[in-house]
Each structure stands twice: as structure tokens, then as C-alpha cells.
Amino acid sequence: RGSASAASRADGAPSPPSSSSSSRPTTGPGFDGGKLPPAFRVAPIHGKGFGLLATRRLAQGELIVSEVPALAYNARLDAADPPESVREGLERKLVEMPGELRDACMDLHDACVKSKDKNIEGIVFSNAFARESDVFDAALCLVSSRLNHACVPNVEQSWDATMGHVQVFASRDIEEGEELCNYYTDLFLTKDERREALWERYRFECSCRACAAEDDEVAESDRRRRRLRRLFDGIAAASAAPGGSGRGAAKGGVDSVVEALALMEQEGLLLHCHRKVACRAASELTLRGEAARYAASELASRGEAARHEARRWLRRALEASRLCHTPEHRDVIWLERRLEEMDASFRPSASSFMAGLSPAHAAAATAVVAGVALTLLLEDAVEGMGAAACVPSVADDVALLTSC
């Protein structure tokens, strides 16, 4: 679900995967036995150590890597008895690995090391992808960890809990020979803030095109990213607000989504995980605002426009989700079901009693049925989409996208 990762680092260049390590359980266009030419190759990148280069044109939304983590650790689920520190737990996991896999993990860069000796905790903190949990929960991958950073990335990662895979998707069309770059820090920080965060955590200075731009371009970029930070904070706050907080707050949240999507396009931040969260929020807030605006007795005649607008936003969230997740991903399935529920709520049955009514009475009865359906749908929105217990809230999603 679109969470921030820490991948292979620019200094202290790690060695590329050996032929044996590349045969790990890794699937997708780059590893599917020749259905498509390989999507990438590991190659030395000037000033960055090793990275991944596209070996053919990659389409937006294309699955590039789907990889079983070499090491995964959840501080709650994998903790030993008696209790252990994260470092002790990671070291225990490492000892339990086959020797070849253990050596491949230890080949990865350790940005945290302050002497010549690396350790698995530093390697995990330097390379692992965050998974979806409220505790320390990381997945260390041998291939995906080779992705370098850019402040305008062209790929994004997803954790598919159903498959148990870390997956990497093309955020936009990528040309043959381009480096595949993920992101290691909050992209809504300014250039100086990003550079400080990257140096503090990973000990390298970013020289991507966003950081190497002319001063006036950087100033404009900083302005857009600061605004995006405020907008996404506002979207999260509006989504987390009580259902009765009023139509004004809901409309303000939707307006923030519209502005945020436009600014992301201008800034070249074409990340579908962000678009998915924003559009889902707009759908929920549209319904919530309508519930605050009209009494239930008026919904039959006045609520149709809200339903269409909410459905449009939900469709956009689903389209974005399909570009950064596989069809089996939890978010895709939930959005599909939510869209089906919304459609079904406004599809009055052609019962026999309806067929026996005059056209005028049938139209009135249809309006009543639609009004009741919309009332139930809006009550769900007012309750903060309680049916979405299987997926994180919008506020939680925003926090995950920007926490890195």
C-alpha cells in the first residue's frame, strides 16, 4: 500500500546480487521466465554504487518486481520469550537463515555503521521496506533493496499481505535505460529538509534532478511541496473529524484533494498510492457533506448528485489503486466492493408492486427507495466508513505515506 521504503544506498556500494541470489522466489515481468523481456538489470550507477536500470520500456502501472522478503520481522508477532530488543530479534532471524541467504543479506549496505563492521540491524534500517503495522515491522528484499532514491521517483512499492510479497510498480512510463528510483523520505519536505533527512538517516547527499535544479525552480518546487504537506494534513484531519462536523469541513477537504492532485501533477509526483488515498477521502467527504446538508426526507430528491460525485471519486481511487497494487491486493478488493455496494444502493428492484403502479406513482416510489438507500450510505460515511475496518483509515494512510 503505498508505504515509504529504505533501499540500497548511494555510498558504500554493495555488490550486485549473485546468480544464486537472483533465483530467490521473485516473480513479475522481470522474473517470469521469459513471457516479457527482463524489466531491469542491476548495474553500477555513477556516484551511487549499484542500482536498477530499465532494460525495456515500462508502462505506467506495470509490475516490475514481486518479491518474497529474504528477512521479515514484526516486533509483536516475531518476538521471542523472554522479550528481546529489535536488534536481538533480527540477529536471531539471521542465524536461522541458510548460509547463502544470510551472506546475501549481509552484502547489502549498512548506512548506520560507524566502524568497519556491519550488523543486521543497520542493514535492515538502511534497506528494509515498512509493512502495514503499528509496531516495528520490516521486510528486507535482495532485489528491491537495490532501488536508489530520487525526490521525483518513477516507481513505488506496495506490500501485499495476501501474497506475502513486496511489489514494485512503475509510477509512470519509463524508457529503456532509465534508472528505477524509489523514495526514502517524505516527498512533501523542501529540498533542504529532504537533504538533511537523507543525510541524517542514510549518509548521502541527493543529486536527483529536483535537487540539482536552478534556484528559482527549487524555490517554486519548495512552495508546491510545502502546500502539499498542508493539504494532505488537512485531508487527514477532515477525514478523521466526527461525522457531524458539518458540510463546510467536508467541502474544504474535497477542495484540498482537487488542489493536491493538481499540485502533484505540476511537481511530477505521479505516485498512485497518494492519488488513491486522496480520491478515497474525497468520496467519503462528499457523502459526509451531503449528510450534513440535507435531512433524510430531502435525500430522495437532492442526494442523487452527491451519489454520482462520490462514485466518481471512488472510481478514481480504484483506478489509482490498480496502478500500484495487484488485483488481489486488499485495497483493490475493498474499493471494488465499495463501488458495487454504492451502485447496488441506487438500483431499486423492479418488483411486481412497482410494475402495477401508474408512471407517476412508480417514479415517486423509486425516489423513496433511492432516498432510503442514500440515507444508509450517508450514515456509513458519517460513521467514518465503519465498513472499512479491513483497511486503514484515510488519516492512517496519510501518516504512512509521509512517515518513511
Side-chain angles (χ1 to χ4, degrees), residues 8-292:
S8 68
R9 305 304 161 210
D11 48 358
S15 58
S18 65
S19 58
S20 57
S21 66
S22 64
S23 64
R24 303 286 169 205
T26 307
T27 59
F31 296 90
D32 63 359
K35 292 181 182 178
L36 289 171
F40 63 85
R41 62 185 176 88
V42 178
I45 308 294
H46 178 69
K48 296 183 179 182
F50 285 90
L52 303 184
L53 296 180
T55 54
R56 57 178 171 80
R57 192 175 189 276
L58 304 175
Q60 175 183 253
E62 183 170 341
L63 176 63
I64 300 172
V65 179
S66 186
E67 183 176 12
V68 176
L71 184 154
Y73 183 79
N74 179 294
R76 181 173 55 241
L77 300 179
D78 294 324
D81 188 18
E84 60 188 357
S85 66
V86 168
R87 181 167 185 169
E88 290 169 338
L90 292 171
E91 288 174 343
R92 174 174 53 79
K93 284 269 192 174
L94 187 69
V95 170
E96 294 169 356
M97 285 182 177
E100 180 186 347
L101 187 58
R102 182 168 60 246
D103 291 344
C105 288
M106 293 303 295
D107 271 347
L108 295 172
H109 180 55
D110 181 355
C112 305
V113 68
K114 292 181 171 58
S115 65
K116 64 178 181 179
D117 297 323
K118 299 192 291 185
N119 65 73
I120 188 59
E121 183 182 36
I123 288 171
V124 166
F125 273 89
S126 301
N127 296 278
F129 291 80
R131 296 190 296 184
E132 301 165 30
S133 178
D134 56 356
V135 299
F136 181 84
D137 188 12
L140 181 66
C141 297
L142 298 181
V143 176
S144 306
S145 291
R146 302 292 175 179
L147 290 164
N148 285 312
H149 165 86
C151 297
V152 184
N154 56 12
V155 304
E156 56 194 302
Q157 82 286 341
S158 164
W159 169 247
D160 192 318
T162 303
M163 296 181 64
H165 283 200
V166 168
Q167 297 172 326
V168 178
F169 294 83
S171 296
R172 59 168 175 80
D173 292 344
I174 299 172
E175 298 302 322
E176 180 180 347
E178 273 193 73
E179 184 182 3
L180 307 181
C181 290
N182 200 355
Y183 59 102
Y184 300 174
T185 192
D186 183 354
L187 294 176
F188 297 157
L189 300 175
T190 65
K191 171 186 171 179
D192 289 344
E193 291 168 339
R194 295 194 306 273
R195 282 194 154 189
E196 181 180 355
L198 291 168
W199 179 258
E200 179 67 24
R201 177 74 182 268
Y202 305 117
R203 287 295 187 265
F204 74 90
E205 292 186 356
C206 184
S207 58
C208 72
R209 65 180 178 87
C211 291
E214 297 295 330
D215 290 347
D216 57 339
E217 295 177 23
V218 169
E220 185 62 21
S221 172
D222 285 351
R223 182 195 65 78
R224 286 192 291 262
R225 295 191 190 222
R226 278 194 296 265
R227 180 60 179 161
L228 281 165
R229 156 60 55 236
R230 291 193 292 270
L231 289 170
F232 268 87
D233 286 347
I235 292 165
S239 298
S245 56
R247 179 173 178 258
K251 184 179 184 304
V254 175
D255 291 343
S256 292
V257 169
V258 173
E259 184 181 354
L261 293 176
L263 284 175
M264 289 178 66
E265 187 81 21
Q266 293 172 28
E267 189 63 11
L269 296 177
L270 308 179
L271 295 173
H272 304 291
C273 53
H274 289 68
R275 288 181 52 234
K276 173 192 69 177
V277 172
C279 292
R280 176 190 156 195
S283 179
E284 294 179 16
L285 291 168
T286 297
L287 291 177
R288 188 180 298 177
E290 204 67 11

